[in-house]
Amino acid sequence: MKLQHFLILCITLLISTALSAQKIGGVRGSIVDEKTGEPMVGASVYLAENESKYNGASDLDGFYSVNNVPPGTYTLIVQYIGYDSTSVSIEIKAGKMSLQNLRLKESENIVGPGVNVSAEREAEKNEVRVSTIRITNRDITRLPSAGGEPDLAQYLQVIPGVISTGDQGGQLYIRGGAPIQNRILLDGMTIHNAFHSIGFFSVFETETIKSADVYTGGFSAKYGGRSSAIVDIKTRAGNRKRFAGLVSVNPFVAKGLFEGPLVKLKDEGGSSLSFLLTMKHSYLNETSSLLYSYANEEGVLPYNFTDGYGKLSFSAENGSRVDAFGFSYNDNVRFDNTLNYKWNAGGAGIDFRIVPGSANIIMDGNIAYSNYRSNFVEGDSSKERSSSINNFSVDLNFTYFMAQGREFNYGLEFNSLLTNFDFTNNGGIGFDQKQSNNEVAMYLRYRGRFGPIVIEPSFRAHFYASLGEIRVEPRIGFKYNITDFLRFKLAGGLYSQNLIASVDERDVVNLFVGFLGGPDESVFTASQNADGSIIYTPTKSKLQTSIHGVGGVEANVTEFAKVNVEGYWKYFPQIISLNRNAVTSSDPKYIAEQGSAYGFDLSTTFEKDGFYAYLAYSLGFVKRNDGIQEFFASFDRRHNMNIVASYTFGSKKKKSSTDGEPTIEQPDVEPKIQNPTEKPFEVSLRWNLGSGFPFTLTSGFFDLQNFQNGINTDFLTGNTNPGTELGVIYDDEINGGRLPYYHRLDLSFKYTLDLVKYMKLNIVAGVTNVYNRENIFYFDRIDYKRINQLPIMPSLSLSLKF
């Protein structure tokens, strides 16, 4: 499709939707907790006169919209589990959107299943949701707190299809996609390195996460710029009614969070302005010598980091909002006389949503700037590597709400990248690139349900200006509701990206990750003649591309249990990387390979009466073909299984039946605002089993000559000096060996002590690697020494919320 045809289609759709909106109306607004002012996510909203046709659900901001309603008087009903149902009479006028904000009151009684409508269950029937996992703050805190602190990095590892390569310097691979092929977004801004060198922690503060949507494949045209997966993280606003906070300390990390209103949200509603500030610092390099000196031969774990994040949030009465945020992340690893690696990132942005007075269309978007710099020195300074990336982006999205929950979305995206990279390989061949890359994209997306069928076609046109290439990427999502409890779904499409990483996919362990834009120079594929010589052929495109296909079944087995099974296939026609094997300056600097990933993922969840259980299993195959041979990627893990369980118990605390009077069970403490089903004790466990990663076997060694005597050097029979570096002769078959199986058990026990109103103390005792399994990290070929992952590590964490 030509660009002018695409623009004409967008204009036609805008005109037609504007004309149809003049004959009908609707209602929208925000739903918040009556006491705290927190937005109610996933509340069910419908008109009593025709629930099946005129309905909706509140989003992450508590915003809802019921559209395409004929003029008249209706009863608007809102329901949410654990809260009293609310109804109000409204009048719908032609060509106008009525504003109706609602405040829900927490139920005085424990609400049993089925009393209120589950918006989550409705969403499962009305949205495609293929290869999509939504993570909440509660999901993260259910996990045993490895390192004494629950973190998103730990939860991502239990998602089916996600592979982690280790506790130290580990990277995440999602259904065959390397880290560079996975885009991580924070409030719409791309985060180029989201994980610290000690693999337990991400840069994101758990307490600030409102939701994290993980798309492991087959995602819609709303997202682009990456060829494998998307992780979209949204942070919450600060408390709009009172000053609050948290301070926490454990052997790994200390942190503080502070939030509150600058302009308080009034009981009757209106606008508000709030702030949120958080800071965390890891001092593991100091505490490990005292507490975990047995963890390695050096007697110290040389990792430390510091993260800071701040946010200002303005919310208007009609649902419009503007958030301004900024962050600073720093990481440092220093092994004596071996390596020194550090990186830092900073950025700021504005995330907004505009709700027009009477139109069915709302607009949201963000404007952001960030920079990331990393430096790696191995041994002496002659092996220094450095990389930086500056990123400016603008996103605009428009959503048109239709009857019966249908939506039409379209948007524009502008992305500008400035990369600077300097690297020298083991053969002394240097790579030095400084490049500016500009990208412009537009997309269309429609989602609607027709009887038992849900369809989600989408289309993306992505222009890579610096390469002069346009990619047209159609995508499709489909769901068939076989019954109310059994659903079939599928998705697929075309994907592309410009950004390249310096990491060789054959390296399982590699702390340094450099970023390069699409190369100005030619990219080559390799092939081999019968005599063994290598032939390099230039490619037609300089983009990295992929094709996704996903199909599966999801079922609500009982009211408390659900199962999801998906089979997937990803084909990567072109994966571009540095030619790490270049031995002369005339050898190509950029090599293109092909790849594929296929398998199936299974997950099942059960939750009832304080008990939660989760099982995930993945069978996966990840292959690469460099033109010479096909081989398994270094992160190919055939089997991966995670079991997570938690149980909350103890006496339930009941709220007072009258305002201001203490309960009988708590005579000396003022009434608390809390969930009536909250219990003080929680025990959690996680067990992970993974088959071994592939590696290339060693055939032999040789002395690396420095040729200090020039052409007179006797490299055939001469003896090398003591301490001369050895070179490794690798087996001809790439990744022909396999490391041993990996398995680890983590446990934690949490006790919550209510002190006074709003204040509580969380005490968490945890053990990582309970039975002290010696899992291999990597094997030092030169010293012929096995390096293991982290051993058993107990921890105690104290967290005070107020």
Side-chain angles (χ1 to χ4, degrees), residues 213-344:
D213 292 333
V214 182
Y215 303 89
T216 58
F219 46 90
S220 76
K222 178 182 178 181
Y223 298 102
R226 294 296 187 275
S227 60
S228 184
I230 302 291
V231 181
D232 190 359
I233 300 164
K234 303 291 186 184
T235 60
R236 64 178 179 86
N239 196 305
R240 298 193 288 173
K241 286 209 167 185
R242 66 177 184 87
F243 178 76
L246 174 151
V247 290
S248 174
V249 62
N250 60 66
F252 286 68
V253 176
K255 70 177 183 181
L257 181 149
F258 307 96
E259 59 182 316
L262 299 176
V263 178
K264 188 176 180 180
L265 177 67
K266 298 178 181 179
D267 290 338
E268 62 272 17
S271 301
S272 66
L273 178 65
S274 65
F275 75 91
L276 175 69
L277 293 173
T278 180
M279 177 73 71
K280 64 181 177 182
H281 175 69
S282 172
Y283 35 71
L284 186 59
N285 57 331
E286 302 292 339
T287 58
S288 60
S289 60
L290 299 174
L291 302 176
Y292 310 118
S293 59
Y294 57 87
N296 56 30
E297 292 184 355
E298 290 77 16
V300 63
L301 296 171
Y303 305 97
N304 69 85
F305 60 81
T306 302
D307 298 334
Y309 178 83
K311 186 174 185 178
L312 281 174
S313 300
F314 172 77
S315 298
E317 186 173 16
N318 71 340
S320 297
R321 61 168 176 78
V322 178
D323 299 322
F325 62 93
F327 65 85
S328 175
Y329 305 137
N330 299 276
D331 186 280
N332 186 59
V333 184
R334 189 180 190 92
F335 287 92
D336 292 339
N337 303 319
T338 305
L339 65 85
N340 182 14
Y341 171 60
K342 59 184 178 181
W343 62 259
N344 59 80

Side-chain angles (χ1 to χ4, degrees), residues 402-415:
M402 293 178 260
Q404 297 177 293
R406 297 167 187 165
E407 286 184 5
F408 174 65
N409 311 92
Y410 56 96
L412 298 170
E413 178 181 338
F414 171 77
N415 204 26

Side-chain angles (χ1 to χ4, degrees), residues 615-626:
L615 167 68
Y617 170 76
S618 297
L619 173 69
F621 300 81
V622 185
K623 296 180 179 180
R624 296 291 185 258
N625 190 324
D626 62 2

Side-chain angles (χ1 to χ4, degrees), residues 29-33 38-46 55-65 77-83 104 116-124 127 129 134 136 210-211:
S30 297
I31 305 172
V32 300
D33 183 290
E38 288 293 313
M40 307 299 295
V41 181
S44 294
V45 185
Y46 61 91
N55 57 66
S58 57
D59 64 12
L60 294 173
D61 296 310
F63 180 79
Y64 75 92
S65 184
I77 298 177
V78 180
Q79 294 181 324
Y80 192 84
I81 292 177
Y83 287 76
L104 298 187
N116 284 340
V117 177
S118 171
E120 173 64 21
R121 188 68 57 84
E122 288 299 308
E124 290 173 350
E127 298 178 10
R129 290 194 177 186
R134 168 157 290 182
T136 65
K210 180 162 53 178
S211 72

